Amino acid sequence: MYMRQPNRRYLWGLTICADEVYACLMLNDGFFVSPAMRISELAGRKMLISWLVRWSMCPEDRLGYDPTMHRVTVHSDTDGGGSYNGKVDDRMYTIDCYDDKSQDITTYITKRTITSADDMLGRHTRCFVATRYSGSGTDSSATEVVIKDAWSPAKHPPLEDPRDEIRLLRKIHNTFEDDTPDHIYPNMLVGGHVRLDQKDTSTIDATDAIFNAAGVDRIDPPSDSDTESAWKHQPLRAHRRIVMSPVGHSIKSVQNEAELIVVLAEAMNCYSSKVLDKFKSKALAAL
């Protein structure tokens, strides 16, 4: 599901065993399973119907969809007759990217998917090649960027997490000032936490936001591995999105192991020489 629906934040599901039905909420680090609803009994049928009614009436973000990603309807003249068939391409989405520093939102449209979230648990990292979205679809001449979307482990509050990749990329950029060596570090164009607009307020999309929507308080996992934990004991994760350039070649494009070793060796040599030259010049300037 996560692979086929890149705008999924989490999943709901139903499991059926004989006359028992369970509602399941599937998150990054664990599942919630409801008490058994026996459809052979009146109370069980009423409970199941109440679940179905709630799911049918709640907004899409409560179903686990990302309100900042929207699937694009691709109009293509496939029948040759000049009429558009309105085909929907699962691989094309518009993505609103929020920047924590400028507090601006930039919208991109995906062109292809590099990495899909193919595991039920974990970061659910997704990477897309995209271009700026102007409201009229893709522009073949527009500069391509890479969008990385992931649910990274975080500390509270997420904006002050020292492990935040966004903070690290900004620190690298500030260290090199405006003279960041090409092709050594990615140039971060936009970096921020995904924001959800709820009840006229903007909140960071994180594990706590999902728990709050469900009316449950998240609890940090116990430090003692021998202590029994419940499904509410889940680590905090923050939904972060980074827009970077340039778009390089996939590591899968190398022809053999020898070529891969040569590429890695050249990259390491380039990194060492450029970084050392940069810091040597700074040290000399300070004398």
Side-chain angles (χ1 to χ4, degrees):
M1 290 293 289
Y2 288 113
M3 181 185 297
R4 293 299 303 165
Q5 297 182 353
N7 60 336
R8 274 285 185 180
R9 298 163 58 231
Y10 57 89
L11 295 172
W12 285 100
L14 285 175
T15 60
I16 302 174
C17 181
D19 69 333
E20 295 183 346
V21 180
Y22 301 86
C24 304
L25 173 59
M26 292 161 271
L27 303 178
N28 299 75
D29 296 283
F31 299 165
F32 160 76
V33 181
S34 73
M37 296 174 280
R38 295 184 178 272
I39 56 178
S40 60
E41 301 175 0
L42 177 60
R45 292 195 295 271
K46 289 179 64 177
M47 182 60 68
L48 176 59
I49 291 173
S50 69
W51 275 99
L52 297 176
V53 170
R54 290 172 186 171
W55 282 331
S56 64
M57 298 182 66
C58 71
E60 285 194 346
D61 63 288
R62 294 291 184 93
L63 294 176
Y65 290 102
D66 187 341
T68 66
M69 290 184 65
H70 302 280
R71 192 165 62 175
V72 177
T73 300
V74 182
H75 297 288
S76 57
D77 184 12
T78 58
D79 58 5
S83 61
Y84 295 110
N85 64 357
K87 177 184 177 183
V88 175
D89 186 344
D90 291 339
R91 295 170 297 177
M92 296 189 67
Y93 287 80
T94 58
I95 305 179
D96 296 332
C97 299
Y98 178 86
D99 189 86
D100 288 338
K101 186 176 182 180
S102 67
Q103 299 184 354
D104 293 329
I105 296 176
T106 307
T107 302
Y108 294 85
I109 183 170
T110 62
K111 298 182 67 175
R112 62 183 183 275
T113 302
I114 302 175
T115 302
S116 299
D118 52 0
D119 294 322
M120 290 296 293
L121 301 175
R123 294 172 176 260
H124 295 163
T125 301
R126 303 172 172 103
C127 293
F128 310 93
V129 174
T131 57
R132 287 283 293 268
Y133 183 62
S134 60
S136 58
T138 59
D139 182 357
S140 58
S141 62
T143 302
E144 292 185 341
V145 299
V146 172
I147 300 177
K148 179 181 178 181
D149 183 287
W151 288 77
S152 307
K155 292 183 179 180
H156 187 80
L159 286 174
E160 300 178 10
D161 187 353
R163 302 171 300 174
D164 181 5
E165 184 179 3
I166 299 169
R167 291 168 61 96
L168 295 176
L169 287 173
R170 290 197 196 281
K171 184 175 182 179
I172 291 171
H173 176 77
N174 293 336
T175 300
F176 285 106
E177 297 174 346
D178 294 328
D179 188 26
T180 303
D182 292 337
H183 309 301
I184 293 183
Y185 292 110
N187 178 26
M188 186 175 67
L189 305 175
V190 179
H193 294 73
V194 175
R195 294 275 177 165
L196 302 177
D197 294 328
Q198 298 176 340
K199 297 181 179 179
D200 299 327
T201 60
S202 178
T203 60
I204 293 177
D205 191 16
T207 312
D208 284 341
I210 300 174
F211 273 77
N212 292 338
V216 181
D217 292 328
R218 182 191 63 84
I219 304 174
D220 288 328
S223 56
D224 185 0
S225 59
D226 295 330
T227 303
E228 184 178 355
S229 61
W231 80 274
K232 294 187 293 185
H233 292 91
Q234 296 199 26
L236 176 64
R237 288 182 181 270
H239 190 186
R240 293 168 176 147
R241 192 170 286 159
I242 305 174
V243 182
M244 300 171 287
S245 69
V247 179
H249 294 287
S250 170
I251 196 171
K252 297 179 181 179
S253 63
V254 297
Q255 301 298 318
N256 49 54
E257 293 84 351
E259 185 175 336
L260 174 62
I261 293 174
V262 170
V263 170
L264 293 177
E266 290 181 350
M268 294 173 66
N269 289 332
C270 177
Y271 170 86
S272 300
S273 61
K274 289 288 186 181
V275 172
L276 288 176
D277 289 346
K278 183 67 179 180
F279 282 99
K280 283 181 180 177
S281 61
K282 280 196 169 186
L284 292 174
L287 295 177

